[in-house]
């Protein structure tokens, strides 16, 4: 991928159809190393302007059209005084507007703050306030606003955002709120040409929120250089192809789909088939219709795909063009490896990473057969060590905490210097995950960060859930743990000690959690107790609770 020369910010001169004519270089730009993550799109738009970039249902955008639409978003932000270093939140499902807005924000020099579409109003408000977002692009969908109209009214009055834009594919209800506009209305009249802001390689490009294992979610600041190099490294690890077709079922607000498929895919000039909501039958149909060559998913998706195949011929038809299958987000069961290879004709390659590492850190080496259970080896430009509590290497043959150093590691947590200092030292990031390494250098995760739960590929952080539960007037104490689950990997269970005299049922608490927390987070299992096991200092002993747990079968 070639990096364009430094350019002045703002609308580029030149008439329609004549392309962008770059203005003279500024004096300060001559001394500024230019790298903007938007080059992932811009370079490909110059090389293959007429190739399909994204397809979603009956809507298709070529590379030229996608780049032009992103330019309109950049001009919109510039017209509102939003530019280099400003934070802009984006909450959107897998539809063409996601990459349009994402790259438009980057072109303007601003920082993208992806927000999980499953979050509730309280959780969204936290992300906007903590990131200091100046604008918020929010997907409305065809049925209703995620926040509801009343929620938007209160939202716009209390949050610090200056501009709210609704991303919609359908009719929009009338709004009396002056600060809420549809994206189409806001883009009306904006130019399709824009010279991207001069950003430095070390500038923050994206802030991805993650809780680690404790406390409120923290924003990992990822740089233009780190994100670009990680995307190009993904392309390198996955091998060359004249024209890949990706089926994108992973949410683009998540680091996995964002880097491995969107950024890497567009840099490789692939066509991305966007699926707003994963379902196995629909995915199989899209694989056949679009002759998909690349699929990435979490283990539960592979389980669902195998479950949808009523005969080997179904898998063979869907996988006849499949070149690459990638899994991440949680350990992939060995049996899924074997069954998928037998029925789809393609081996699944596993990788490992975190939001703080952009995310890819290890992967099955090119030209090597996957080793079921292994996360592979460090990717290009990345080092991995296994360390103890004192940050020193534990030595060969021993289990240690995974530490990562390389281009992919975050700058730090946004406005969290103390939290940053806990996990970063000398360029090394300690992950909290325990692993072993075999004599060939292949890595194997043996345990996860202390209490974190992974449900269906999504990280769930018990302390955040516990603090939300404790806000309920009938809850006195709460402890949240993961329960092994046959299809989701883990299910979330809450042990609750009610306030004396409170009248509350387990079913009522589950219902309350469903309306308060994102769908992947809320505990579907609640057990009321008179007390919880504690040590002498009053710390709840979750390990004692885990010993009482038996694995679950399939559960919604």
């Amino acid at each position: 991928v070639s990096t364009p020369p430094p350019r002045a910010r703002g609308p580029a001169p030149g008439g329609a159809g004549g392309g962008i004519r770059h203005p003279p270089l500024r004096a300060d730009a001559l001394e500024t190393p230019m790298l903007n993550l938007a080059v992932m799109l811009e370079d490909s738009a110059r090389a293959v302007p007429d190739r399909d970039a994204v397809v979603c249902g009956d809507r298709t955008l070529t590379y030229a059209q996608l780049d032009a639409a992103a330019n309109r978003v950049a001009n919109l932000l510039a017209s509102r005084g939003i530019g280099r270093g400003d934070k802009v939140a984006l909450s959107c499902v897998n539809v063409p507007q996601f990459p349009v807005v994402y790259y438009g924000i980057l072109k303007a020099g601003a920082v993208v703050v992806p927000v999980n579409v499953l979050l509730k109003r309280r959780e969204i408000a936290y992300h906007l306030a903590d990131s200091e977002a100046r604008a918020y692009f929010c997907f409305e969908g065809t049925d209703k606003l995620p926040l509801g109209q009343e929620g938007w009214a209160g939202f716009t009055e209390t949050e610090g955002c200056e501009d709210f834009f609704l991303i919609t594919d359908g009719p929009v209800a009338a709004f009396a709120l002056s600060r809420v506009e549809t994206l189409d209305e806001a883009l009306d009249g904006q130019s399709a040409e824009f010279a991207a802001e001069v950003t430095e390689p070390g500038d923050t490009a994206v802030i991805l929120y993650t809780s680690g294992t404790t406390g409120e979610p923290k924003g990992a600041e990822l740089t233009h250089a780190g994100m670009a190099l990680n995307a190009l490294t993904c392309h390198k690890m996955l091998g060359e192809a004249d024209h890949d077709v990706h089926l994108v079922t992973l949410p683009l607000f998540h680091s996995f789909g964002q880097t491995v498929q969107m950024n890497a895919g567009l840099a490789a000039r692939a066509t991305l088939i966007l699926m707003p909501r994963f379902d196995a039958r629909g995915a199989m149909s899209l694989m056949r219709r679009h002759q998909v060559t690349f699929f990435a998913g979490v283990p539960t998706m592979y389980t669902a795909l195998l479950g949808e195949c009523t005969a080997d011929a179904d898998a063979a038809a869907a996988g006849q063009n499949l070149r690459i299958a990638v899994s991440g987000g949680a350990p992939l069961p060995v049996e899924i490896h074997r069954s998928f290879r037998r029925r789809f004709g393609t081996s699944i390659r596993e990788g490992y990473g975190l939001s703080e590492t952009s995310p890819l850190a290890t992967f099955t080496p090119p030209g090597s057969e996957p080793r079921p259970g292994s996360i592979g080896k460090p990717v290009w430009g990345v080092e991995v060590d296994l360390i103890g509590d004192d940050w020193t290497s534990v030595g060969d043959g021993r289990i240690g905490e995974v530490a990562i150093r390389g281009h992919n590691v975050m700058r730090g947590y946004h406005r969290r210097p103390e939290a940053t200092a806990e996990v970063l030292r000398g360029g090394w990031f300690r992950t909290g995950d325990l692993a072993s390494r075999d004599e060939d250098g292949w890595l194997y995760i043996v345990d996860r960060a202390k209490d974190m739960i992974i449900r269906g590929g999504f990280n769930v952080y018990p302390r955040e859930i516990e603090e939300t539960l404790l806000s309920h007037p009938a809850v006195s104490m709460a402890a949240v743990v993961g329960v092994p689950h046959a299809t989701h990997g883990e299910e979330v269970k809450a042990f609750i000690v009610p306030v004396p005299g409170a009248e509350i049922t387990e079913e009522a608490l589950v219902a309350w959690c469903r309306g308060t927390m994102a769908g992947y987070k809320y505990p579907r299992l609640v057990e009321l107790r008179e007390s919880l096991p504690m040590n002498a200092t009053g710390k709840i002993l979750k390990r004692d609770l885990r010993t009482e747990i038996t694995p679950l079968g399939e559960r919604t």
Side-chain angles (χ1 to χ4, degrees), residues 2 18 63-64 127 202 227 282 295 372:
S2 60
Y63 272 90
H127 283 71
M227 291 287 283
F295 180 81

Side-chain angles (χ1 to χ4, degrees), residues 100-121:
V100 165
V101 175
Y102 182 92
Y103 291 110
I105 295 170
L106 293 170
K107 284 170 178 277
V111 177
V112 186
V113 183
V115 177
N116 190 324
V117 298
L118 301 179
L119 298 184
K120 304 293 185 180
R121 181 193 183 284

